[in-house]
Amino acid sequence: MAVARKDALRLSDHPVLRVVLAAEAVSILGTQLSAVATPWLVLTLTGSARTVGLVTAAQFAAVTASGLLGVSWVTRLGPRRVMLYGDAVCAVLLALLPLLHALGWLSVGAFAAVMFLVGLTFAPYMASQQSLLLDLVGADESLLSMANAAFQTATRLSMLLGPLLAGLLIATMTAPQVLLLDALSFAVSAGLLYRWLPRAAGTGGHADRPSLRGGLRAVRSDRLATRWTLGLALNETAWQAMFAMIPLVALIRADASPVAAGALLGSYGGGTLLGTLAVGRMLRRVKPHALAVAGRVALAAMFLTLPLPLGVGTMACCLVLVGLLNGVSLAPATAVRALRLPEHSRTEGLTVATGLTLAGGTAGWALAGIAAQSTGLSTTFVGLAILQAGAAVLFVSGARATRADTAQGRSTPDPTTHTRSDDTIPAASAHTDTPTVGTPAEQEGST
């Protein structure tokens, strides 16, 4: 059901969505606690930046695997079950980490295995949420961009407060105890979804037989969707490598202060919050395509400041601007790409696109620690700036390809051509989410 007004999206018209937003804000707050606590715990256990990267890369590898190989069961279970199962499983798994630590059994292998299992839930979760959001607002690019931004505004507040709170909690408590709080946040989210999301909402039973090949075909059916997916993958590589580097920056430049690590991540979260608050106003003056491309180009330029030998305070200011640009451009980029996918295979396409995009996150976490130990912080940040520049080129070329298709008389894929999938739900009971950043339990980059 599309929203009638073309210039605004009122969450007050969707009471179930408000409750689910609250549930998601709680879980994202917990996730942001883990974004600081997880690498900090690995660093304190091993003292190795390389191990931090490899443990977190295991989580992103699972995201990629579930995005590419879990298309069939995602569409058959339906959004409600995928989200409920995802929150419940994450709650149990994350609670295992402090238990294993207390028993003295938390090895690097066990840590990586738990993070891998947590990562398996992310791509299906994100695709289910985006599918329901599309059902809520229809096929209007501006409205979908505003809806993404409205949802992100609620979650970005958690992203602002979470890292700051995590730094303080780790300084006064312990990292395993902070991870237990994250497990509790997932349990609360699962309870709210179970209570307020109707059982009939998105029960699954897709009529077709979805497949990896069908999802890939959906992404490849449009040049903008293909190039922007590759661009978002490069973005994700740079984002997650940057998040992996922040504890190292605090370790080297701030005398191993967890508060400094939390403040740096919080600065980014504050910037993204400002950006998402500004999206609605900007979309009244700028088309979603243009806003997405301009934001990604400016973001690439801003990343050029990070290789400089910045103090913690100056770097925090730069991260505010980086977050602002990401917040402004992510919502329209996500909306435009989603609407380029054929509706009859959109859920499969979104699941595969999520897996492909976050494959970049796997590479980012795996390579960041190795690069930092081998070449140093500044050289690693130069590599991240190059990745963001490549992403900006892909966004520009994707938009130009769309204009060229229009000029040659080729039709844009019509998202209303096909009948809606059986796993969508009425607008009054829809639930959506955007990726968190820092961890995929996400975040977004996403991002």
Side-chain angles (χ1 to χ4, degrees):
M1 177 185 297
V3 178
R5 292 183 60 187
K6 294 297 182 183
D7 60 346
L9 176 72
R10 298 196 306 170
L11 295 179
S12 60
D13 294 335
H14 307 285
V16 174
L17 180 57
R18 293 202 308 271
V19 175
V20 181
L21 280 173
E24 194 63 24
V26 170
S27 68
I28 289 178
L29 179 61
T31 296
Q32 294 306 308
L33 297 181
S34 287
V36 179
T38 298
W40 200 262
L41 178 58
V42 177
L43 275 175
T44 56
L45 288 174
T46 67
S48 170
R50 180 176 303 177
T51 303
V52 173
L54 293 177
V55 167
T56 312
Q59 188 176 14
F60 278 90
V63 174
T64 303
S66 64
L68 297 179
L69 304 177
V71 176
S72 178
W73 63 263
V74 169
T75 53
R76 290 179 181 276
L77 283 176
R80 184 180 188 273
R81 290 178 182 174
V82 168
M83 291 186 288
L84 280 175
Y85 294 167
D87 278 341
V89 168
C90 286
V92 173
L93 290 172
L94 289 169
L96 280 177
L97 292 175
L99 176 61
L100 293 173
H101 183 268
L103 295 173
W105 298 344
L106 187 58
S107 64
V108 172
F111 210 136
V114 170
M115 299 309 290
F116 181 87
L117 293 174
V118 169
L120 286 176
T121 68
F122 185 57
Y125 203 96
M126 282 184 61
S128 297
Q129 291 166 334
Q130 190 66 21
S131 176
L132 295 180
L133 182 58
L134 283 162
D135 185 71
L136 171 65
V137 302
D140 183 273
E141 282 185 355
S142 294
L143 271 181
L144 184 56
S145 299
M146 291 179 186
N148 276 324
F151 196 91
Q152 288 172 17
T153 298
T155 59
R156 298 304 189 192
L157 182 59
S158 294
M159 292 174 58
L160 171 62
L161 299 177
L164 297 173
L165 182 60
L168 295 173
L169 288 175
I170 293 172
T172 57
M173 300 169 59
T174 64
Q177 290 172 331
V178 174
L179 289 175
L180 190 60
L181 293 177
D182 187 15
L184 179 61
S185 75
F186 276 104
V188 171
S189 177
L192 289 172
L193 290 174
Y194 181 81
R195 173 65 180 85
W196 294 104
L197 196 60
R199 291 182 181 275
T203 54
H206 199 286
D208 300 324
R209 294 184 62 85
S211 64
L212 170 60
R213 181 176 299 179
L216 288 170
R217 188 183 301 115
V219 174
R220 293 176 59 191
S221 66
D222 180 80
R223 289 197 288 177
L224 181 144
T226 301
R227 295 180 189 183
W228 284 24
T229 295
L230 293 175
L232 288 171
L234 292 181
N235 284 148
E236 194 68 20
T237 303
W239 286 128
Q240 301 306 329
M242 184 187 77
F243 296 133
M245 300 287 288
I246 284 177
L248 296 178
V249 172
L251 194 67
I252 295 172
R253 299 179 184 175
D255 298 324
S257 170
V259 176
L264 289 171
L265 284 172
S267 298
Y268 172 82
T272 58
L273 177 61
L274 293 175
T276 53
L277 288 172
V279 168
R281 291 182 179 274
M282 298 184 71
L283 285 171
R284 296 188 181 99
R285 298 173 176 82
V286 183
K287 292 182 179 180
H289 278 77
L291 185 57
V293 172
R296 293 289 137 167
V297 171
L299 186 60
M302 193 64 212
F303 253 71
L304 294 174
T305 65
L306 297 182
L308 301 175
L310 306 175
V312 172
T314 305
M315 187 172 186
C317 293
C318 292
L319 289 176
V320 170
L321 294 176
V322 166
L324 175 67
L325 292 169
N326 187 52
V328 165
S329 59
L330 180 59
T334 303
V336 171
R337 185 186 66 168
L339 288 174
R340 302 290 298 189
L341 301 176
E343 186 175 2
H344 73 290
S345 57
R346 186 172 288 152
T347 301
E348 300 95 300
L350 286 171
T351 305
V352 170
T354 299
L356 291 173
T357 298
L358 295 180
T362 306
W365 275 99
L367 297 177
I370 298 173
Q373 284 193 197
S374 302
T375 65
L377 290 177
S378 296
T379 303
T380 303
F381 278 125
V382 169
L384 304 190
I386 293 173
L387 289 174
Q388 290 285 15
V393 170
L394 286 167
F395 267 84
V396 172
S397 65
R400 292 185 65 180
T402 302
R403 288 197 296 269
D405 288 345
T406 302
Q408 294 172 12
R410 299 176 188 171
S411 60
T412 298
D414 184 0
T416 63
T417 298
H418 302 279
T419 304
R420 276 205 303 256
S421 299
D422 293 336
D423 61 353
T424 55
I425 64 174
S429 59
H431 169 52
T432 62
D433 187 24
T434 53
T436 72
V437 284
T439 67
E442 352 318 77
Q443 218 190 64
E444 86 110 152
S446 275
T447 39

